[in-house]
Amino acid sequence: MGHAARLARIAEGVAALAGLEVCGAGYEGVGIAACVATGSAAARRVLGGARAAVPG
């Protein structure tokens, strides 16, 4: 199995679990800037999901 196929399987599994995100150089891009960007995006998704789950 290639890296792209493995990432696709991981993304499918993660999407099935509310509140779980993955990030970092192993998933998208390399270097510090890519890690910060994927971490920030993951945090936004988690926080967005948490806000959506709170009755308003």
Side-chain angles (χ1 to χ4, degrees):
M1 172 183 293
H3 186 66
R6 183 172 288 120
L7 290 180
R9 284 186 43 203
I10 291 169
E12 288 176 18
V14 168
L17 299 169
L20 176 66
E21 293 290 337
V22 295
C23 59
Y27 299 100
E28 299 178 35
V30 295
I32 295 171
C35 289
V36 170
T38 62
S40 295
R44 283 192 298 276
R45 289 189 299 269
V46 168
L47 292 174
R51 288 188 186 117
V54 175

